Amino acid sequence: MNRIWNSVVGKLWGTILLLVLFVLFIVTVLMLEFLTDFHSEQAEESLRQEATTIGKIVEEYQQVEDSFQIIEDILGSETSALIVRDSNSVSLSIHDGLNKDVIRTKILKDKDLTKIYTSNDTIIKKMLMPSMTEENKMESYIILASPLESNNEIHGGVFIYQSLDVVNKTSNQTTNIVFLSGFIALLLTTMFSFFLTSRITSPLRSMREAASELAKGNFEAKVSYHQKDEIGGLATAFNRMGSQLKHHVEVINQEKEQLSNILTSMADAVITFNKDFNVQVSNPQAELLFQKWYMNNDITDNSHLPAELYHLLDHVFHNEEEIDEELEIRGSYFSVSISLLYTKDMVRGAVVVLRDMTEQHQLDKMRSDFIANVSHELRTPISMLQGYSEAIIDDVVTTEEDRKEMIRIIYDESKRMSRLVTELLDLARLESGYLSIFKEEVLIIPTIERITQKFDQIAKEKNLRLIFEQNLLEPLSLEIDEDRMEQVLTNLIDNALRHTEKGSVTVRISQTKHHFVMVVEDTGYGIPREDLPYVFERFYKGDKARTRGKSGTGLGLAIAKNIIERHDGNLSVESELGVGTKFIIRLPLNK
């Protein structure tokens, strides 16, 4: 039932029905009032005419009883009469029904009606008297009193009375006709309403279903309605709206996908914040930064951001200004660009672009250190070359033996400079990828053993034991560049021998499930723990003074690490001060 009343059909039907019933009610009330007055007037007029006629007849006949039949014919079947010649007696009574005496007595004793004996005007009165058809029932009567022989001062009268039940019957019949008309109008209204509303609600239901489909994202939903009325125009507009929505959603999705791809492909971290410092949008690079900050406990409790970035954002929101700054967060350097987001001239958030400048800072530092180190490494041999050559030119030396010694020193220093320049070029080529690696199948055991045996004589001169160990169960071959691998091993074994005063230097090879492992281990001075992270940097030397002699150029380990990485391997170091150092090479086995 609620479904009907909540629908357009029910509301329209109810509205039309109430309107029709209201109109019928007003018409019925007015019609009943009109019919009641009309029938009363007609009854009075009829009674007046009958009274006049009866009065003339009575005046013509001396004996009233002789005119009984004529008077009865004049009166209708529902009309009764009393004829009084004088005020003392009833000459004739025509009454067809019950309660004759009671009614006659009430009429003759009524004060208003008895005035007719002295009046020449007709008297009309309505009275409540017993029914002429049913016992113990009272009815309304209309009574007309007309003067008889009015020439006399005291004369008689004709009393004609009729039950108003006739009028009531007419009113009831009229009411029944109205109710029947109302019922028929109700049926017709209901049929018309449901017919009319079905023409309206059917397309509306189709639109509702299509709207539900649109809400689910089905923009192909259409409303089929081809009439040219307002609903047809609404259906056409609805279909056009669906097409436009589809187009706009596709455009928005394309722009969203394009923006997402742009954000994803950006090397910079992009983060959108609202004014509560909550993250709204972020790209993968920004997520990596958040993970790094969380892992390093760089997040403040109240902002979910590093304190430096939080204060910078707070400054931007407070002063409503855009900022381009360089920010340091726990040793990492970022170029920070902050732009404000507005909604109706109000700041609703900010877009932060973070560019990691740490590597550039490191490169700048490495470039500066590189220039300083090269300058430092070249200064000593150049000074020695200049000094000894000036001594020879100025004939400072007096003996041939001193002269030859100076020339030998000049030659050694020039070789050192040449070696430094060559290693710098090799390192630059390796790091830039211009130095080619030519791999070929090489038997590992004989190759490593041959390279190790080159240093036997040097080890014997220093009273050191040079040991080669291998734990391979079967011959093993790898795809490597033999010359470059020999350069790596030569550097590692030479370093081990130079930094070991007593004990041994061991070259050990083994094999795991996925890797070939080679270890160069010595019992030398060892490397301090704080220096281990810098072992593979350019110009690192065990002796901090970087003195001339057999300390090397400080580029060998950097070159060795680059060569191993070009072989998809890994070079690491383990050391304990005063115990020794172990360099470990891991190369992937051939697949």
Side-chain angles (χ1 to χ4, degrees):
M1 193 67 180
N2 289 333
R3 182 178 179 184
I4 294 177
W5 287 115
N6 291 330
S7 65
V8 174
V9 175
K11 292 177 181 177
L12 189 56
W13 173 71
T15 302
I16 296 175
L17 183 60
L18 288 175
L19 180 61
V20 170
L21 292 178
F22 178 74
V23 172
L24 285 175
F25 174 75
I26 299 297
V27 170
T28 302
V29 172
L30 295 177
M31 186 177 292
L32 290 175
E33 185 69 22
F34 169 76
L35 289 176
T36 301
D37 294 340
F38 176 77
H39 285 298
S40 297
E41 291 176 0
Q42 289 294 317
E44 290 177 6
E45 185 64 26
S46 178
L47 292 177
R48 193 184 302 274
Q49 292 176 359
E50 291 176 355
T52 302
T53 304
I54 291 171
K56 290 179 180 181
I57 292 172
V58 171
E59 290 177 356
E60 292 178 358
Y61 288 90
Q62 292 298 321
Q63 297 295 325
V64 179
E65 292 81 0
D66 297 338
S67 61
F68 177 81
Q69 187 63 44
I70 298 172
I71 295 173
E72 189 175 20
D73 293 337
I74 293 172
L75 296 175
S77 60
E78 296 178 352
T79 306
S80 300
L82 288 174
I83 299 173
V84 180
R85 279 282 189 178
D86 53 50
S87 59
N88 297 320
S89 63
V90 176
S91 301
L92 181 65
S93 175
I94 301 174
H95 183 98
D96 187 12
L98 303 175
N99 300 310
K100 178 179 178 180
D101 295 333
V102 177
I103 294 174
R104 185 173 65 179
T105 302
K106 286 182 70 69
I107 293 173
L108 294 177
K109 290 185 177 182
D110 186 79
K111 294 181 179 180
D112 294 327
L113 294 176
T114 55
K115 292 178 182 180
I116 196 64
Y117 300 133
T118 59
S119 173
N120 293 327
D121 297 325
T122 302
I123 299 173
I124 298 175
K125 184 178 182 179
K126 293 179 182 179
M127 293 178 60
L128 189 64
M129 296 186 299
S131 173
M132 296 170 59
T133 57
E134 296 181 28
E135 292 287 351
N136 301 323
K137 180 181 178 182
M138 302 296 287
E139 290 181 357
S140 292
Y141 288 82
I142 181 170
I143 303 168
L144 183 142
S146 178
L148 183 64
E149 298 176 349
S150 57
N151 295 328
N152 301 323
E153 184 178 353
I154 298 176
H155 49 259
V158 177
F159 299 92
I160 300 176
Y161 55 95
Q162 183 184 54
S163 175
L164 289 177
D165 188 49
V166 177
V167 178
N168 293 333
K169 287 180 180 179
T170 305
S171 299
N172 292 335
Q173 290 176 357
T174 304
T175 305
N176 292 335
I177 292 173
V178 170
F179 281 136
L180 179 61
S181 301
F183 178 72
I184 295 173
L186 174 62
L187 293 180
L188 293 177
T189 301
T190 303
M191 293 173 60
F192 173 74
S193 298
F194 278 93
F195 172 76
L196 178 62
T197 53
S198 64
R199 301 284 291 178
I200 298 174
T201 57
S202 178
L204 290 180
R205 282 195 295 267
S206 299
M207 290 181 195
R208 182 187 64 188
E209 294 171 358
S212 299
E213 292 298 319
L214 285 180
K216 295 176 184 177
N218 179 17
F219 298 105
E220 300 296 334
K222 300 294 182 184
V223 178
S224 299
Y225 191 82
H226 305 291
Q227 301 296 329
K228 298 193 180 295
D229 54 8
E230 290 82 356
I231 296 180
L234 178 60
T236 303
F238 185 90
N239 293 335
R240 190 182 303 115
M241 179 191 69
S243 301
Q244 290 295 322
L245 278 176
K246 179 182 179 182
H247 171 71
H248 291 311
V249 168
E250 288 177 351
V251 171
I252 291 172
N253 287 335
Q254 290 175 0
E255 292 178 353
K256 184 178 179 181
E257 183 180 359
Q258 183 178 2
L259 179 61
S260 177
N261 291 335
I262 291 173
L263 289 176
T264 302
S265 61
M266 286 181 65
D268 300 336
V270 181
I271 314 168
T272 300
F273 295 94
N274 60 14
K275 293 197 71 173
D276 296 326
F277 299 92
N278 295 322
V279 177
Q280 303 297 305
V281 179
S282 61
N283 64 347
Q285 288 72 18
E287 296 296 332
L288 292 176
L289 269 182
F290 281 126
Q291 292 177 8
K292 178 181 177 182
W293 289 336
Y294 275 113
M295 291 173 62
N296 295 334
N297 296 322
D298 292 336
I299 304 298
T300 58
D301 293 335
N302 59 340
S303 67
H304 308 291
L305 295 171
E308 298 86 348
L309 185 58
Y310 175 83
H311 293 310
L312 194 61
L313 267 175
D314 184 60
H315 172 78
V316 168
F317 285 140
H318 182 73
N319 296 287
E320 296 188 1
E321 63 178 7
E322 299 183 351
I323 285 182
D324 289 311
E325 294 285 347
E326 190 167 292
L327 197 64
E328 181 183 1
I329 302 177
R330 296 291 181 93
S332 296
Y333 296 88
F334 296 92
S335 175
V336 183
S337 177
I338 303 180
S339 302
L340 294 172
L341 298 174
Y342 294 91
T343 299
K344 295 181 180 179
D345 299 329
M346 294 180 60
V347 176
R348 65 178 177 86
V351 176
V352 180
V353 180
L354 295 166
R355 176 171 295 176
D356 193 345
M357 305 294 290
T358 305
E359 185 175 353
Q360 183 173 341
H361 275 264
Q362 291 176 347
L363 289 174
D364 291 341
K365 184 176 183 302
M366 288 176 63
R367 187 183 299 113
S368 175
D369 293 345
F370 177 78
I371 294 172
N373 289 328
V374 170
S375 301
H376 179 82
E377 292 294 332
L378 291 177
R379 184 182 298 114
T380 301
I382 289 175
S383 298
M384 295 182 69
L385 287 173
Q386 184 178 355
Y388 282 112
S389 60
E390 287 177 354
I392 294 175
I393 292 172
D394 295 339
D395 293 327
V396 174
V397 292
T398 56
T399 63
E400 186 66 22
E401 183 178 353
D402 291 339
R403 188 182 190 88
K404 288 182 178 180
E405 178 63 22
M406 288 185 181
I407 293 172
R408 187 186 62 78
I409 292 173
I410 291 173
Y411 176 72
D412 288 342
E413 293 301 324
S414 64
K415 284 179 63 178
R416 181 183 175 193
M417 289 178 61
S418 175
R419 187 170 65 253
L420 176 62
V421 171
T422 300
E423 290 182 348
L424 281 172
L425 289 174
D426 287 347
L427 182 60
R429 290 194 187 101
L430 280 168
E431 291 181 345
S432 62
Y434 290 120
L435 187 63
S436 299
I437 300 293
F438 300 99
K439 295 181 180 181
E440 57 182 357
E441 288 285 341
V442 176
L443 289 172
I444 290 298
I445 295 177
T447 301
I448 304 302
E449 189 174 12
R450 174 182 61 78
I451 297 171
T452 304
Q453 287 176 354
K454 291 196 308 181
F455 293 91
D456 280 345
Q457 187 61 36
I458 299 174
K460 289 178 181 178
E461 290 176 0
K462 296 192 66 174
N463 295 321
L464 298 174
R465 290 181 293 117
L466 182 61
I467 304 169
F468 173 72
E469 296 180 356
Q470 64 91 9
N471 298 322
L472 303 180
L473 300 178
E474 57 184 16
L476 177 66
S477 61
L478 289 178
E479 281 191 2
I480 59 173
D481 186 329
E482 186 174 357
D483 292 338
R484 294 299 174 187
M485 196 58 65
E486 183 172 349
Q487 182 180 354
V488 172
L489 281 176
T490 298
N491 181 276
L492 295 179
I493 296 173
D494 181 66
N495 284 345
L497 291 172
R498 283 191 292 109
H499 293 90
T500 303
E501 290 292 332
K502 59 181 180 178
S504 62
V505 174
T506 304
V507 179
R508 184 183 305 108
I509 60 176
S510 59
Q511 178 181 349
T512 64
K513 184 176 181 180
H514 301 289
H515 292 89
F516 164 72
V517 181
M518 180 166 47
V519 179
V520 178
E521 184 177 5
D522 63 55
T523 58
Y525 308 128
I527 302 172
R529 183 181 298 274
E530 61 272 15
D531 288 348
L532 285 178
Y534 310 103
V535 166
F536 298 107
E537 290 187 2
R538 296 185 184 100
F539 301 110
Y540 170 81
K541 295 182 180 181
D543 51 332
K544 296 298 180 182
R546 300 178 184 257
T547 56
R548 181 178 65 87
K550 295 183 180 181
S551 60
T553 61
L555 297 173
L557 289 178
I559 293 173
K561 184 173 181 64
N562 271 277
I563 291 174
I564 295 300
E565 289 177 351
R566 292 290 296 276
H567 283 78
D568 300 322
N570 174 261
L571 174 60
S572 59
V573 61
E574 297 176 2
S575 183
E576 186 176 349
L577 200 62
V579 177
T581 303
K582 183 190 298 184
F583 285 90
I584 306 166
I585 298 173
R586 291 182 176 85
L587 296 174
L589 295 175
N590 296 336
K591 296 181 181 179

